[in-house]
Amino acid sequence: MEFLINQEMLTSASSTDGSLFYQEKEAFTGVNKIAGKVMHDLELVFGYAPQVTTDRTKLGKTAVLYGTVDHSPMLQELEEKEIIDLSEVKGKREVYLFQVVNHPIVGVEKALVIAGSDKRGAIYGLFHLSELLGVSPLVDWADVKPQRKESFTLSEDLKYISKEPSVRYRGFFINDEWPAFGNWTMKRFGGFNADMYEHVFELLLRLKGNYLWPAMWSARFSVDGPGLANAELADEYGVVMGASHHEPCLRNGEEYKYLRGEDSIYGDAWNFISNREGITKFWEDGLKRSGQFENVITVGMRGEADTSIMGKEATLADNIELLRDVLQTQNQLIQENVNPTLSEVPRMLALYKEVEPFFYGDENTPGLMNSEELEDVILMLCDDNHGNLRTLPTEEMRNHQGGYGMYYHFDYHGGPISYEWINSSYLPKVWEQMTMAYEFGVRDLWIVNVGDLATQEFPLSYFLDLAYDFEKWGTNAVNKTDLYTKQWIQRQFAGVFSEDEMKKVFELLTGYTKIAHNRRPEAMNAEVYHPVNYKETDRRLEQIDYLLDLAEELYENVNPENFSTYFSLVYYPAVGNLNLQKLWLLTGKNNYDAKLRKMEANKLAEQIKECFKRDRELVDQYHTIDDGKWYGMGLSEHIGFIHWNEEEAKYPILMNVLPASKPRLLVSLDGTEQHTEGPAWHNNKLYLNDFLQPDIEEASFTISSISDLNADYKITSKSEWLTCSKTSGSLDGIEETMEVISVKIDRSAMNGETEGSIVVEMPIGTCTIIVNASNKDFSDLPDMTFVETNGYISIEAEHYFLNKESTSQHGDVHRFQVLEGYGKTLSAMKAFPTTEYFTVGKDAPYLEYLFFVQEAGEYEVALYMQPSNPVTKDGTLFCGIQVNDDETSVVNVLPEGYRVDGDNWAVGVIDNIHRHVSRINCLEGLNTLRIYAVSPGFVLEKLVIYPEGKNPADSYLGPAETYYVGKK
């Protein structure tokens, strides 16, 4: 007989069938509270709440029995009767047994037993039942309503033992919380108190996290509860509390501001040199107050308000010795006030910003690495605040007894530009970076800065699932982020959207996050994407409009009961991001067109105003849905940052054009900057070269008004093999300001011709478009050979001719793999294993590209790469480049003197690309280019080859991919 829960059972439970849940007085109170939340989940699913009892005799024939090993007489009794075997979970970390059993207790015929190895194991086991019922982890936080069920069954022989989480401490950091999160919690809960943290803790635990850094800009976690209520609630639920990198010994940085003073026992200076006694007392009292709870104690010290610890005049040795003194003092305080066995107290030192060199030292000054003070301390490494890892543990360093952590960012308040408004994180990037961290031995602590938390639910879910079950979602799950996204959508919207609609949600989520990955909304401006070259702006606008249409279609179709969930989790972050991108793309076109005096610029200005208005409306609507549930969460500035903060942010500058006094038109070639009004005494010839690529069958040019008077045009094709979509027309400069003319080629009619022409007659002149075309047959070249047809070759990295793997002396396979969807255009290539340093000619895998150029000579190859930082302190990232049989050049693709926070780094993280140019010698005709993996972290997205000194036209995404043999 299966384990069954149904509506009939729940409706009659109180009178006939007895209670479903059994609650023991010996259980942890936090576990019982979580069981109460799970019972509420059942009510949402079935429409009726299950009954709970503390009296076994009042249980029904079907029961849910839950508990924690060593805190449950009931579990002990079941084990003694050999109904369950707790040895499979005892002594393990955060593990649960989930088993259907027969006749466990007199009167109970069938029971589900949930046995946690510890408090969190029991909690995760209870929430596992909710998940099987189809309840989303966001049920409380984002009001995700589960699909209603009449009944639910589990197999009679079900027995499941969960895994130990892959990463020991997994959680998030509420940060940069003003003006958004702060206003939200003040209005909704009256402060940063336990009423608010109740929801945060539940979200964390439902996502299988266990570790939290609380809000700290103006908040005091252990004071705001009120009092210790926040800390006590965290401890009750089994949430391990930590604090940010500059808040040691269980005291928030804000606390010192309120307690300092000339007469204070803590002194009046956050300075361990001048106020050693006061600061030590401050730390000691923090440990005494909160040391009895489960914490990872932050150690170390930074300056007040997250600044450097000593002045600029201090030497590296001075800083290292001061930090050593601080650590010795803190360790002693922890021994005296928390646990005399220091190794049993989880502690963490963040190697963040200026603390990193104090750890590593330099060639003249030994750092704190391998010091006694840090022997059992988790060393928390960091990304560069923009999602790119900094240094990682070398093979030797991985033996550190305390292990390693990673501080990652989905939100950042700082240079070069802050991003705090809505989600702009991209799952393939998170996967690529965090899997590398794990493979390098960073497995003890993962914390991600989620800023205000709202709109970050999607990437946060992924981050915590990756940390909980790395075996499922990590290195072995290459290109599985799309699968994860589809499963996440299913969890939130099962029963809400049809399968076809869920596909649209998938397109919307992956589409907007990819666009945000290319350029975060705060960093957008009118000069990012080129307004005309390679049509990159028009193509991006087309994609944005498609996604916005999807968002609106779903908006119209979602039922009122699920509207706020769709709006907050998908619609608002997607449309907010896309609308802002559109605003800036249109501004770029407006400014460009206005400089050419096109009347179209005035239309574009009106569209920009609409986007600006829409931005304000979106925030206002977000603040009013669900009776203001999210009020405040959209308040972060997000338009036109030019510094790290919003000061002096530049809003769009709109350009309007005054009409010419007589009829005038302008012809421009789409995808280029070529244009003319056609006067005989100036340039009146344009060169359309699209058809030099054999796979191009259609191109276009645009005729634009420069006045508000009727202006006629006539188009004549001088070549039979060229046809235009129109032969004549008229623009009035008011309603009709432009006309895009499509040009099609019939190569079968060329009869050996390679040049044609199209004549456009306009009121004040004639424009001749010289059309260069190729009818060459390149079929004698190997498939995947890129052919230079228009002065350059552009290659998406995954379009190699050969992906050559190698084998190490230990038999390990070294190979490049495609990272689908990764990067700014199509995808990327990365060598695995990610921890390896490869030697060219020995064990380095390589990608081989074939390309054909018309002339021999000096060329340049530009490599477009993910903006990885070096995994070591030497500031280098190498790859090998070989052309034909020439000697392989092992080149550092980073500029000399590269460092995080430097100018080159800043450009890279804003543009989300590193670009390196090398000189190569090419033969006339067919050439071979090999790119070898050398350093970890090398991720190749695109290659562009062109004659030396003849750079292709400017663009943000790089030249669009050119023709290759076999291209379909």
Side-chain angles (χ1 to χ4, degrees), residues 414-430:
I417 283 176
S418 301
Y419 56 101
E420 303 169 56
W421 177 40
I422 53 178
N423 171 45
S424 56
S425 296
Y426 188 50
L427 296 199
K429 170 72 170 271
V430 179

Side-chain angles (χ1 to χ4, degrees), residues 683-947:
N683 168 49
N684 62 359
K685 288 186 178 180
L686 306 178
Y687 296 86
L688 195 158
N689 295 326
D690 297 50
F691 298 129
L692 289 172
Q693 294 195 66
D695 61 318
I696 300 297
E697 302 293 333
E698 186 173 344
S700 64
F701 62 91
T702 298
I703 302 173
S704 303
S705 296
I706 296 180
S707 74
D708 59 358
L709 303 172
N710 283 325
D712 299 329
Y713 63 83
K714 181 180 178 183
I715 302 170
T716 307
S717 173
K718 300 295 185 180
S719 305
E720 292 183 1
W721 42 275
L722 294 171
T723 56
C724 296
S725 57
K726 292 189 74 170
T727 57
S728 63
S730 180
L731 299 176
D732 62 16
I734 302 171
E735 296 298 325
E736 302 293 332
T737 56
M738 57 176 283
E739 184 81 51
V740 177
I741 308 298
S742 171
V743 182
K744 293 185 178 180
I745 186 170
D746 179 2
R747 296 183 193 277
S748 65
M750 288 175 66
N751 295 322
E753 290 185 55
T754 59
E755 184 180 294
S757 64
I758 298 168
V759 174
V760 183
E761 298 175 52
M762 297 177 286
I764 63 167
T766 300
C767 163
T768 300
I769 301 174
I770 308 299
V771 181
N772 294 308
S774 171
N775 208 7
K776 289 182 181 179
D777 181 7
F778 294 105
S779 60
D780 57 329
L781 294 172
D783 276 1
M784 301 309 300
T785 300
F786 283 79
V787 180
E788 177 208 354
T789 60
N790 194 16
Y792 66 91
I793 291 169
S794 179
I795 306 172
E796 291 290 349
E798 78 165 66
H799 290 155
Y800 50 79
F801 173 74
L802 176 66
N803 184 353
K804 182 65 174 176
E805 64 185 36
S806 63
T807 306
S808 73
Q809 60 182 359
H810 304 296
D812 298 324
V813 175
H814 299 164
R815 192 176 194 275
F816 276 97
Q817 294 199 53
V818 178
L819 306 184
E820 296 171 0
Y822 189 95
K824 291 177 70 171
T825 47
L826 179 66
S827 58
M829 301 296 298
K830 183 176 183 178
F832 290 81
T834 61
T835 55
E836 291 295 317
Y837 289 83
F838 306 106
T839 303
V840 173
K842 185 178 179 183
D843 64 356
Y846 63 81
L847 300 167
E848 184 171 289
Y849 298 91
L850 297 184
F851 65 98
F852 184 97
V853 295
Q854 308 296 335
E855 298 179 5
E858 296 283 330
Y859 284 73
E860 294 179 340
V861 56
L863 304 182
Y864 289 68
M865 299 159 289
Q866 131 73 19
S868 302
N869 299 306
V871 299
T872 63
K873 292 294 294 175
D874 61 11
T876 58
L877 182 61
F878 290 103
C879 74
I881 301 174
Q882 182 184 23
V883 177
N884 302 320
D885 295 324
D886 294 351
E887 186 177 342
T888 303
S889 299
V890 177
V891 299
N892 176 18
V893 297
L894 299 177
E896 188 174 349
Y898 176 89
R899 62 178 180 81
V900 172
D901 296 332
D903 292 342
N904 289 306
W905 165 84
V907 171
V909 295
I910 293 176
D911 290 348
N912 208 15
I913 206 79
H914 275 163
R915 190 170 171 273
H916 172 81
V917 178
S918 286
R919 291 176 58 187
I920 57 175
N921 290 302
C922 296
L923 305 173
E924 179 183 346
L926 189 64
N927 291 262
T928 300
L929 170 65
R930 289 180 179 176
I931 305 295
Y932 291 85
V934 176
S935 297
F938 174 72
V939 182
L940 182 64
E941 298 182 15
K942 178 186 285 196
L943 308 87
V944 180
I945 301 166
Y946 50 89

Side-chain angles (χ1 to χ4, degrees), residues 497-793:
F497 291 125
S498 67
E499 286 301 314
D500 183 59
E501 288 172 325
M502 292 227 232
K503 290 176 183 175
K504 292 174 181 177
V505 177
F506 171 79
E507 284 189 81
L508 188 54
L509 280 181
T510 54
Y512 99 78
T513 54
K514 171 79 179 240
I515 289 170
H517 169 74
N518 281 5
R519 188 80 171 198
R520 296 192 191 271
E522 291 87 347
M524 268 297 284
N525 59 63
E527 286 151 18
V528 175
Y529 290 86
H530 197 280
V532 295
N533 285 344
Y534 312 108
K535 302 181 184 179
E536 69 176 15
T537 287
D538 284 340
R539 286 177 174 147
R540 182 47 41 89
L541 282 169
E542 184 179 351
Q543 182 188 13
I544 286 171
D545 284 338
Y546 171 75
L547 293 171
L548 287 173
D549 286 344
L550 290 183
E552 294 305 323
E553 180 184 340
L554 293 163
Y555 180 98
E556 294 297 327
N557 291 344
V558 68
N559 59 59
E561 184 182 13
N562 304 103
F563 171 79
S564 66
T565 297
Y566 168 67
F567 191 94
S568 63
L569 293 180
V570 178
Y571 184 87
Y572 174 66
V575 176
N577 207 314
L578 295 169
N579 178 70
L580 187 53
Q581 302 271 349
K582 182 176 181 178
L583 175 145
W584 283 115
L585 290 164
L586 292 173
T587 303
K589 284 173 66 71
N590 162 265
N591 293 177
Y592 182 85
D593 283 0
K595 290 170 185 175
L596 295 180
R597 305 167 307 284
K598 292 184 184 182
M599 296 301 291
E600 175 67 11
N602 297 345
K603 277 190 168 183
L604 290 167
E606 293 306 309
Q607 293 176 43
I608 295 162
K609 291 177 185 176
E610 285 302 309
C611 288
F612 188 77
K613 178 184 175 186
R614 184 77 181 109
D615 178 84
R616 299 295 171 86
E617 289 172 347
L618 278 167
V619 173
D620 289 344
Q621 187 177 8
Y622 185 47
H623 285 166
T624 55
I625 62 168
D626 245 4
D627 297 323
K629 174 178 180 176
W630 299 110
Y631 178 81
M633 285 293 198
L635 288 175
S636 294
E637 289 291 339
H638 49 272
I639 299 178
F641 281 50
I642 59 171
H643 304 303
W644 67 271
N645 209 349
E646 67 263 22
E647 278 78 17
E648 300 180 32
K650 288 185 177 179
Y651 281 29
I653 296 173
L654 308 188
M655 297 187 181
N656 280 82
V657 175
L658 296 174
S661 58
K662 58 184 178 180
R664 285 167 60 184
L665 297 175
L666 177 140
V667 175
S668 54
L669 287 191
D670 297 339
T672 79
E673 296 183 72
Q674 297 182 67
H675 58 271
T676 182
E677 292 187 45
W681 48 88
H682 294 308
N683 168 49
N684 62 359
K685 288 186 178 180
L686 306 178
Y687 296 86
L688 195 158
N689 295 326
D690 297 50
F691 298 129
L692 289 172
Q693 294 195 66
D695 61 318
I696 300 297
E697 302 293 333
E698 186 173 344
S700 64
F701 62 91
T702 298
I703 302 173
S704 303
S705 296
I706 296 180
S707 74
D708 59 358
L709 303 172
N710 283 325
D712 299 329
Y713 63 83
K714 181 180 178 183
I715 302 170
T716 307
S717 173
K718 300 295 185 180
S719 305
E720 292 183 1
W721 42 275
L722 294 171
T723 56
C724 296
S725 57
K726 292 189 74 170
T727 57
S728 63
S730 180
L731 299 176
D732 62 16
I734 302 171
E735 296 298 325
E736 302 293 332
T737 56
M738 57 176 283
E739 184 81 51
V740 177
I741 308 298
S742 171
V743 182
K744 293 185 178 180
I745 186 170
D746 179 2
R747 296 183 193 277
S748 65
M750 288 175 66
N751 295 322
E753 290 185 55
T754 59
E755 184 180 294
S757 64
I758 298 168
V759 174
V760 183
E761 298 175 52
M762 297 177 286
I764 63 167
T766 300
C767 163
T768 300
I769 301 174
I770 308 299
V771 181
N772 294 308
S774 171
N775 208 7
K776 289 182 181 179
D777 181 7
F778 294 105
S779 60
D780 57 329
L781 294 172
D783 276 1
M784 301 309 300
T785 300
F786 283 79
V787 180
E788 177 208 354
T789 60
N790 194 16
Y792 66 91
I793 291 169

Side-chain angles (χ1 to χ4, degrees), residues 200-238:
V200 172
F201 295 156
E202 180 175 342
L203 174 66
L204 176 70
L205 292 168
R206 284 184 183 269
L207 292 173
K208 295 189 178 68
N210 63 1
Y211 178 59
L212 183 74
W213 289 2
M216 43 67 69
W217 265 19
S218 66
R220 296 166 289 166
F221 181 78
S222 295
V223 175
D224 294 334
L228 279 177
N230 287 337
E232 289 166 347
L233 183 65
D235 192 64
E236 187 176 26
Y237 279 148

Side-chain angles (χ1 to χ4, degrees), residues 23-237:
Q23 185 179 95
E24 295 179 286
K25 65 179 184 299
E26 295 86 356
F28 288 112
T29 59
V31 174
N32 280 339
K33 283 186 177 181
I34 294 298
K37 294 178 186 296
V38 173
M39 286 183 253
H40 179 63
D41 292 346
L42 267 71
E43 183 178 6
L44 292 174
V45 170
F46 296 107
Y48 302 95
Q51 298 295 313
V52 60
T53 182
T54 58
D55 184 347
R56 294 187 188 192
T57 64
K58 293 183 180 178
L59 283 169
K61 293 179 181 179
T62 300
V64 176
L65 312 176
Y66 67 89
T68 309
V69 171
D70 297 331
H71 288 267
S72 171
M74 177 266 300
L75 290 181
Q76 185 177 340
E77 180 183 319
L78 294 180
E79 183 176 42
E80 289 170 355
K81 291 180 179 179
E82 298 185 350
I83 294 174
I84 61 173
D85 181 5
L86 295 177
S87 67
E88 296 170 295
V89 299
K90 281 181 178 176
K92 293 186 178 178
R93 173 174 47 87
E94 301 177 357
V95 169
Y96 57 88
L97 169 70
F98 196 87
Q99 184 176 353
V100 174
V101 300
N102 296 317
H103 305 292
I105 295 172
V106 175
V108 176
E109 295 178 0
K110 187 74 68 173
L112 171 63
V113 177
I114 301 171
S117 64
D118 52 26
K119 186 189 296 184
R120 282 188 294 277
I123 288 171
Y124 295 154
L126 283 161
F127 280 144
H128 183 64
L129 174 58
S130 294
E131 290 174 9
L132 292 178
L133 286 163
V135 178
S136 164
L138 307 179
V139 60
D140 172 71
W141 176 257
D143 196 27
V144 179
K145 294 178 176 60
Q147 196 170 5
R148 283 293 181 95
K149 287 180 169 62
E150 291 184 3
S151 66
F152 168 76
T153 60
L154 294 172
S155 171
E156 63 179 342
D157 60 353
L158 172 67
K159 180 182 178 182
Y160 171 70
I161 297 172
S162 70
K163 68 184 295 296
E164 280 194 313
S166 305
V167 176
R168 187 175 186 87
Y169 299 110
R170 315 164 303 282
F172 56 82
F173 177 21
I174 299 171
N175 192 26
D176 311 327
E177 64 267 19
W178 289 96
F181 190 97
N183 274 296
W184 171 78
T185 193
M186 294 304 290
K187 180 174 177 60
R188 189 166 173 204
F189 301 103
F192 292 82
N193 53 36
D195 288 343
M196 179 270 286
Y197 277 112
E198 173 82 31
H199 298 279
V200 172
F201 295 156
E202 180 175 342
L203 174 66
L204 176 70
L205 292 168
R206 284 184 183 269
L207 292 173
K208 295 189 178 68
N210 63 1
Y211 178 59
L212 183 74
W213 289 2
M216 43 67 69
W217 265 19
S218 66
R220 296 166 289 166
F221 181 78
S222 295
V223 175
D224 294 334
L228 279 177
N230 287 337
E232 289 166 347
L233 183 65
D235 192 64
E236 187 176 26
Y237 279 148

Side-chain angles (χ1 to χ4, degrees), residues 367-384:
L368 288 166
M369 187 189 297
N370 299 321
S371 68
E372 181 183 352
E373 292 81 10
L374 295 176
E375 185 176 346
D376 303 305
V377 174
I378 298 171
L379 302 173
M380 192 179 73
L381 306 169
C382 311
D383 69 356
D384 61 2

